[in-house]
Amino acid sequence: MKRLFALFAAVVLTAISPALAAPKAGDVIIRHVTVIDVEGAKTLAGQAVVLRGGDIVAVGDDAGIAKQWRAKRMVDGKGRYLIPGLWDMHVHFGGGVDLIEENKALLPLYIANGITTIRDCSGDLADQVLAWRGAIANGDLFGPRLLTSGAKIEGIAPVWKGTIEVGGDADVDAALARLTTRDKVDFVKITDNTLKPELFLYALRRAKALGIRTSGHIPMALTVDQAVDAGISSIEHLDYAYNAGAKDEAAIAADFAAGRIDRAEANRRLGAGFDRDTAMAAYRRFAAKGVSVTPTLNGSRILDYLDRDDHSKDAGLAYIGPKLRKTYDWRIERAAKADAAAIAARHAQSDAVGAILPMLVEAGVPIIAGTDAGFLNSFNYPGFGLHDEIELYVQKGLTAAQALASATRAGPAWFGWLDRYGAIKPGMAADLVLLDRNPLDDIAATRAIDTVIVRGEVQDRGALDEMLADTRAKVAAWNAEAASR
Ligand SMILES: [Zn+2]
């Protein structure tokens, strides 16, 4: 009877007062924090977030969570703001096998900047990047979650190294078979240096049939709509989306395809023919077809203003090894050859292209934050560049919430993974960034990083500073070695 009563009492106590039940165990608890609901563009003050392994297991009012949960590690979120981990959806690794170590030293820069996932859009080190992807996932290499296209699909003998060269339909089929089965790539990248336009469209259609996402540069001989109709999933670089706004785009594409005009003349006519109504109609078709745009404005801004901006004292240079730095020369030399008229045209084009960003948003096109950071792309610093990128979005007319969503939700949305990334709630990945200021008030607050949590592992300010110091030390040693030769 006594025992029965005790059992009864225990049941009643548990039912009426869950606080008296044994606390549940987590690994990390972030207390007294303001959670940013990126989707709802709002803040939730006084929250606690519990992590276990690589997962968020509980989120709620701080007092309630503190009663129910215990964790080995407490992170003080008082006065701070918690956002989902940032994604840079357009980065590169490459420059040849001699540059593998210098490229590898870039990985911690992403984490130190709050970036928990990167999408590699192909370079000339595809097998190396595939190996890093696996090593990071296994915990053998420290870095952000790495998603990659593997080698990109190109035409025969393109300017880009390390591509899969295709000259006919059978080559495209073989390339896609290799990428999807051997390399198990996360998406396919297709560019337009020597690739025949009809093969570009064929590759898009075949990839779509295989259920793999595509991203790429659209050949000048095609209209953007042709690529959209063939099933392209994301358009890289804002310029290509801009071209869809030219009234006579089809005639320009036909003239270019027939060899009647060169690329410069085609670009001049595309700019002259830009029309707001034509552009909005095109962007509504992008939205209807589920096509996203990755603007890479940071990359274009740097290249368009190389004539004016002095980068020789950039703090970011301390993170770039001497061989990677050398890959910058190609674009610097090309820019130096431009005359005053070409420079003025480039500046005007840069402004005109940037102005379509709010139009895309108005049309409902998802904007994916991506920097184009990596080898060749001068002064576009891995990790740091994403903060520049999303600040540019706000300068062009996006709200801070829209810019933040482009770097936290648009990436996972593109992959179909919003059930796991891009929000702070139970069941989501424990990829988080704790900020000293509210990014919804000022997007520059994404730079004010106190702590980064990646796959549930806490990297406090001290650890982040160590990562940065580590890469700086490596670069300094490489520079000293290069100078002594
Ligand atoms: Zn790129």
Side-chain angles (χ1 to χ4, degrees):
M1 187 66 198
K2 219 183 206 172
R3 193 190 279 171
L4 237 182
F5 176 76
L7 185 67
F8 174 75
V11 168
V12 168
L13 275 176
T14 311
I16 61 169
S17 176
L20 294 183
K24 291 178 265 189
D27 296 320
V28 178
I29 180 163
I30 307 157
R31 300 227 16 217
H32 308 292
V33 73
T34 297
V35 166
I36 305 281
D37 168 2
V38 180
E39 189 187 16
K42 59 184 188 218
T43 55
L44 288 147
Q47 302 289 293
V49 178
V50 186
L51 315 180
R52 191 166 54 208
D55 302 318
I56 297 173
V57 291
V59 181
D61 173 70
D62 185 82
I65 292 283
K67 276 182 204 149
Q68 293 171 46
W69 290 87
R70 291 289 173 271
K72 285 164 249 161
R73 180 157 187 185
M74 202 273 277
V75 174
D76 184 13
K78 204 169 176 64
R80 299 200 170 98
Y81 299 82
L82 194 64
I83 60 168
L86 300 169
W87 290 43
D88 187 338
M89 285 282 284
H90 194 126
V91 309
H92 294 284
F93 296 98
V97 290
D98 286 353
L99 277 70
I100 287 175
E101 287 307 312
E102 288 191 14
N103 276 277
K104 199 176 177 182
L106 303 175
L107 292 168
L109 300 181
Y110 288 105
I111 303 279
N113 278 284
I115 297 157
T116 51
T117 301
I118 54 174
R119 185 183 66 152
D120 161 61
C121 288
S122 191
D124 56 11
L125 295 173
D127 287 342
Q128 187 61 56
V129 174
L130 286 164
W132 286 342
R133 178 184 65 173
I136 290 169
N138 291 339
D140 295 334
L141 175 65
F142 183 74
R145 176 176 300 96
L146 177 49
L147 306 166
T148 180
S149 62
K152 62 173 164 280
I153 295 180
E154 249 298 353
I156 305 296
V159 61
W160 309 114
K161 295 188 184 108
T163 59
I164 307 181
E165 299 182 14
V166 300
D169 289 2
D171 293 345
V172 172
D173 291 338
L176 289 172
R178 180 194 123 176
L179 291 169
T180 53
T181 58
R182 190 198 82 164
D183 299 342
K184 297 188 171 52
V185 297
D186 299 290
F187 69 105
V188 171
K189 175 101 183 266
I190 314 168
T191 56
D192 69 331
N193 182 244
T194 59
L195 183 63
K196 290 184 207 153
E198 64 271 22
L199 286 184
F200 182 87
L201 296 177
Y202 179 75
L204 291 179
R205 285 195 297 268
R206 289 304 306 150
K208 191 174 174 116
L210 292 168
I212 184 131
R213 288 170 179 77
T214 46
S215 95
H217 302 175
I218 298 160
M220 189 66 90
L222 299 174
T223 63
V224 176
D225 255 354
Q226 284 178 288
V228 168
D229 284 340
I232 196 167
S233 326
S234 89
I235 296 172
E236 303 306 306
H237 317 301
L238 203 56
D239 321 49
Y240 291 98
Y242 176 74
N243 292 348
K247 241 179 170 159
D248 47 351
E249 188 203 5
I252 299 166
D255 283 348
F256 182 82
R260 287 189 288 271
I261 55 173
D262 66 5
R263 188 168 291 270
E265 175 60 8
N267 276 322
R268 193 199 60 74
R269 280 177 56 189
L270 285 164
F274 185 86
D275 166 70
R276 192 188 157 88
D277 293 342
T278 305
M280 283 305 294
Y283 303 157
R284 285 193 198 97
R285 288 193 297 276
F286 291 10
K289 291 263 185 179
V291 178
S292 303
V293 172
T294 312
T296 70
L297 283 187
N298 195 42
S300 343
R301 175 189 59 98
I302 292 164
L303 297 182
D304 291 342
Y305 291 94
L306 271 180
D307 60 282
R308 186 194 69 185
D309 298 338
D310 176 13
H311 290 282
S312 64
K313 304 221 165 42
D314 284 3
L317 287 174
Y319 300 93
I320 305 298
K323 293 173 191 160
L324 270 175
R325 177 92 186 258
K326 196 102 193 77
T327 69
Y328 284 4
D329 292 349
W330 176 51
R331 290 211 157 103
I332 296 168
E333 282 157 17
R334 199 175 62 178
K337 283 186 203 130
D339 58 19
I343 289 170
R346 202 166 59 212
H347 292 180
Q349 162 93 355
S350 187
D351 289 344
V353 170
I356 71 164
L357 195 61
M359 295 169 63
L360 287 163
V361 172
E362 189 188 329
V365 179
I367 301 298
I368 304 178
T371 56
D372 217 359
F375 76 116
L376 292 178
N377 295 340
S378 323
F379 314 116
N380 191 343
Y381 303 107
F384 304 93
L386 188 71
H387 304 284
D388 298 322
E389 180 77 22
I390 58 180
E391 270 186 50
L392 284 166
Y393 296 171
V394 172
Q395 281 173 28
K396 299 294 178 192
L398 268 60
T399 65
Q402 287 167 339
L404 191 60
S406 77
T408 53
R409 293 183 59 80
W414 190 72
F415 281 104
W417 298 341
L418 277 177
D419 56 347
R420 180 73 182 149
Y421 304 97
I424 302 175
K425 49 189 185 190
M428 294 283 167
D431 289 350
L432 299 159
V433 186
L434 187 61
L435 302 172
D436 291 331
R437 293 185 286 119
N438 183 353
L440 296 179
D441 289 344
D442 172 15
I443 195 66
T446 58
R447 298 177 194 270
I449 298 172
D450 176 80
T451 298
V452 177
I453 297 169
V454 55
R455 295 175 293 267
E457 274 180 48
V458 178
Q459 309 290 341
D460 63 15
R461 190 62 253 173
L464 300 173
D465 286 338
E466 239 171 77
M467 282 170 213
L468 294 172
D470 230 42
T471 295
R472 281 200 307 272
K474 281 183 183 160
V475 167
W478 287 324
N479 281 336
E481 193 192 320
S484 72
R485 253 194 237 117

